[in-house]
């Protein structure tokens, strides 16, 4: 049976980065830039005051102090957003507010707190200023021609602000993937239906929707397909307009597990089936018309684990990103026994202790015991060859990336 690492690299290699598209900057956060952006302007675009105060000629304030103030004539006032036509001469000042353009002739700003108004037209200045004091120079943040955003960068809130500052409303980014989600099974009913004997509520669509959303992609729910080839074909056909499809259930060896057959009958390929992992062994991966299809097992834990291990890195790749797992060292509280031959993803809860991080197995580890996931905040990923881990061992834990410790 295919080993975990081999399967992951095979799947990842067959996934392509999605094409670029133009989006409004408010929709671009977290997406990957598909272009270099150079500034065509200086920011700020004019010399302006960093403080509320008076624009002056620095030489006029020479030696000014509390006991020996300098007297200046106030000839104008400039609120932010306005300019003055005056040109400052010796012994003159212009009242100026933060962000307003420095008037010609002035070369410094005295802050309001270091002055006193004698009357409407006269101030006392109590502090000497040097040329350039309290002035924000044109281009001090960004110069025309500067590289602002490089292709491949994951856009941050500051990048969005920078684009806005430059008057750029749209940016070319790698498309946000739309991921179709289809549950399968005659026993599966939706959560607004009354639970009849023999039926099971659809939880996989809901956990998968949430997992896809946390990746920064767009989940699209396609409902529940019956365990018939006809219904599966119809629903899978609908999914092909999206960037990829995740199914849950119907990929094992049961009589009604038709997902793989249907992919083949729809002229697709089933490239991978069954991986030496626990939980999640029946996992299938294939393509129809170059659209990736992840056939996840139906069991509620297997479905989430195989998403985390295989689908998530692929969604990141589609978005032009590399998924990096958050790994921490922790001390394993209890011993753990496993069978040789499969990689096992043991769900653990990690807590901080005075000796460092402590990892505790979250009880019964069956592939349908969703509580083992809900109590967990990480995986203890145990290689195929491991058969036993002793209590007190220092182990690597893959933290769930949506959990803060
Ligand atoms: P399957 O892989 O189709 O054999 O399903 C394995 C187990 O997972 C069965 O017990 C199913 O009832 C259960 N299961 C399948 N799909 C879902 C789902 N969408 N929500 C909750 N449980 C499911
Ligand atoms: Mg089924």
């Amino acid at each position: 049976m295919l080993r975990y690492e081999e399967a992951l690299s095979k799947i990842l290699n067959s996934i392509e980065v999605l094409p670029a598209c133009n989006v409004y900057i408010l929709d671009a956060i977290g997406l990957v830039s598909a272009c270099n952006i150079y500034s065509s302007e200086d920011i700020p675009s004019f010399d302006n005051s960093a403080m509320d105060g008076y624009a002056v000629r620095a030489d006029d304030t020479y030696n000014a102090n509390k006991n020996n103030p300098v007297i200046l004539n106030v000839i104008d006032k400039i609120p932010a957003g306005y300019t003055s036509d005056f040109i400052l001469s010796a012994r003159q000042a212009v009242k100026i507010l933060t962000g307003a353009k420095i008037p010609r002739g002035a070369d410094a700003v005295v802050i309001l707190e270091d002055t006193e108004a004698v009357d409407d037209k006269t101030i006392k200045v109590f502090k000497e200023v040097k040329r350039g004091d309290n002035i924000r120079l044109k281009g001090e943040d960004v110069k025309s021609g500067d590289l602002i955003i490089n292709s491949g960068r994951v856009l941050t809130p500051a990048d969005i602000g920078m684009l806005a500052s430059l008057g750029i409303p749209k940016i070319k980014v790698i498309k946000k993937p739309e991921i179709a989600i289809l549950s399968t099974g005659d026993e599966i009913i939706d959560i607004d239906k009354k639970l009849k004997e023999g039926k099971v509520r659809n939880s996989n669509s809901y956990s998968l929707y949430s997992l896809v959303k946390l990746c920064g992609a767009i989940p699209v729910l396609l409902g529940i397909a019956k365990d018939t080839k006809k219904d599966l074909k119809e629903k899978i056909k609908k999914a092909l307009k999206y960037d990829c499809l995740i199914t849950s259930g119907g990929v094992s060896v049961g009589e009604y597990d038709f997902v793989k057959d249907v992919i083949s009958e729809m002229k697709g390929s089933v490239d991978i089936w069954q991986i030496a992992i626990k939980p999640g062994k029946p996992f299938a991966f294939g393509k129809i018309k170059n659209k990736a299809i992840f056939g996840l097992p139906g069991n509620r834990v297997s479905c989430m684990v195989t998403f985390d291990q295989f689908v998530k890195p692929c969604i990141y790749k589609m978005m032009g990103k590399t998924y990096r797992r958050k790994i921490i060292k922790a001390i394993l509280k209890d011993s753990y026994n496993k069978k040789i031959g499969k990689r096992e993803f043991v769900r653990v809860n990690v807590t901080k202790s005075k000796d460092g991080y402590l990892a505790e197995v979250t009880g019964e580890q069956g592939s349908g015991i969703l509580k083992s996931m809900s109590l967990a905040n990480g995986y203890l990923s145990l290689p195929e060859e491991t058969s036993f881990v002793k209590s007190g061992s220092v182990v690597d834990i893959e933290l769930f990336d949506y959990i803060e410790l």
Side-chain angles (χ1 to χ4, degrees):
M1 212 181 300
L2 206 56
R3 285 168 67 102
Y4 165 73
E5 272 110 352
E6 212 183 323
L8 179 59
S9 83
K10 208 170 155 189
I11 296 168
L12 263 176
N13 281 337
S14 79
I15 296 289
E16 284 163 25
V17 177
L18 293 181
C21 60
N22 274 309
V23 297
Y24 185 41
I25 55 173
L26 284 182
D27 298 321
I29 186 66
L31 299 181
V32 172
S33 172
C35 57
N36 289 324
I37 292 193
Y38 294 90
S39 174
S40 58
E41 294 173 7
D42 286 339
I43 303 178
S45 59
F46 51 88
D47 294 350
N48 66 89
S49 182
M51 304 291 279
D52 295 328
Y54 290 89
V56 298
R57 295 156 69 113
D59 288 352
D60 285 348
T61 67
Y62 182 69
N63 261 344
N65 60 49
K66 200 76 205 163
N67 300 319
N68 185 27
V70 167
I71 309 285
L72 298 179
N73 295 319
V74 181
I75 56 166
D76 199 6
K77 177 164 92 175
I78 325 177
Y82 297 89
T83 55
S84 172
D85 293 332
F86 284 95
I87 302 174
L88 245 78
S89 309
R91 303 260 147 198
Q92 289 185 330
V94 166
K95 189 163 196 187
I96 193 159
L97 290 114
T98 304
K101 188 176 177 192
I102 302 293
R104 280 181 295 164
D107 57 14
V109 169
V110 185
I111 66 171
L112 204 60
E113 294 85 334
D114 292 333
T115 66
E116 186 184 300
V118 179
D119 56 42
D120 265 6
K121 296 253 173 303
T122 322
I123 52 162
K124 285 180 184 172
V125 175
F126 298 115
K127 201 168 171 193
E128 180 180 321
V129 282
K130 299 269 175 293
R131 271 186 202 169
D133 278 1
N134 303 311
I135 291 181
R136 298 191 288 216
L137 293 175
K138 175 176 170 13
E140 73 173 19
D141 183 358
V142 173
K143 292 210 169 33
S144 176
D146 281 358
L147 178 63
I148 299 303
I149 288 165
N150 58 308
S151 183
R153 179 176 168 86
V154 180
L155 295 169
T156 66
D159 294 334
I160 307 302
M162 195 58 97
L163 291 165
S165 306
L166 291 167
I168 300 173
K170 286 190 154 194
I171 179 167
K172 197 170 164 194
V173 292
I174 295 172
K175 180 181 184 274
K176 199 181 226 191
E178 290 178 292
I179 315 281
I181 297 166
L182 178 64
S183 279
T184 74
D186 281 1
E187 79 282 29
I188 307 302
I189 57 158
D190 222 329
I191 59 173
D192 55 348
K193 300 276 182 317
K194 196 167 161 24
L195 194 62
K196 292 202 195 108
E197 211 167 11
K199 302 292 178 188
V200 172
R201 284 198 190 94
N202 177 12
S203 66
N204 291 348
S205 288
Y206 294 83
S207 40
L208 288 170
Y209 183 100
S210 311
L211 288 164
V212 167
K213 206 166 176 186
L214 282 175
C215 290
I218 304 167
V220 182
L221 290 183
L222 297 186
I224 304 160
K226 291 271 169 215
D227 283 326
T228 63
K229 289 187 176 178
K230 183 171 175 284
D231 199 30
L232 275 170
K233 273 182 198 162
E234 270 171 24
K235 299 229 158 74
I236 291 179
K237 206 171 151 204
K238 280 191 186 140
L240 296 178
K241 69 172 178 196
Y242 301 103
D243 297 304
C244 92
L245 168 65
I246 305 172
T247 63
S248 90
V251 284
S252 196
V253 292
E255 202 180 328
Y256 302 99
D257 289 340
F258 291 135
V259 172
K260 288 184 284 79
D261 295 351
V262 163
I263 294 174
S264 303
E265 287 172 25
M266 291 175 79
K267 300 204 172 60
S269 59
V270 178
D271 307 315
I272 286 176
W273 181 51
Q274 292 189 327
I275 301 175
I277 54 171
K278 189 180 171 193
K281 176 184 142 195
F283 174 91
F285 173 78
K287 281 191 174 177
I288 299 179
K289 290 187 183 147
N290 212 31
K291 293 274 167 77
I293 302 177
F294 296 89
L296 309 189
N299 278 307
R300 296 178 301 163
V301 178
S302 315
C303 167
M304 292 189 75
V305 169
T306 48
F307 179 95
D308 278 343
Q309 296 300 329
F310 299 110
V311 188
K312 191 190 279 186
C314 292
I315 293 180
Y316 271 64
K317 183 165 178 192
M318 287 180 210
M319 296 193 295
K321 300 182 186 180
T322 304
Y323 180 63
R324 291 190 182 82
R325 300 186 193 282
K326 272 201 234 168
I327 310 276
I328 56 154
K329 298 257 180 238
I331 303 161
L332 187 63
K333 197 162 169 239
D334 304 299
S335 300
Y336 193 81
N337 277 297
K338 77 178 264 295
K339 280 199 194 122
I340 288 178
K342 283 186 192 163
R343 176 170 283 267
E344 203 165 318
F345 300 99
V346 185
R347 280 80 70 203
V348 294
N349 183 264
V350 180
T351 47
K352 255 185 206 155
S353 80
K354 60 176 179 5
D355 304 319
Y357 290 116
L358 207 62
E360 194 172 354
V361 178
T362 56
E364 170 58 44
Q365 293 288 297
S367 60
I369 308 285
L370 191 56
K371 212 198 256 176
S372 68
M373 277 300 281
S374 59
L375 292 175
N377 54 14
Y379 295 117
L380 166 60
S381 174
L382 296 175
E384 294 78 351
E385 292 69 28
T386 302
S387 63
F388 177 69
V389 199
K390 212 170 144 207
S391 121
S393 313
V394 176
V395 289
D396 281 344
I397 303 293
E398 286 175 14
L399 279 184
F400 295 170
D401 48 16
Y402 42 88
I403 299 260
E404 287 299 322
L405 270 188

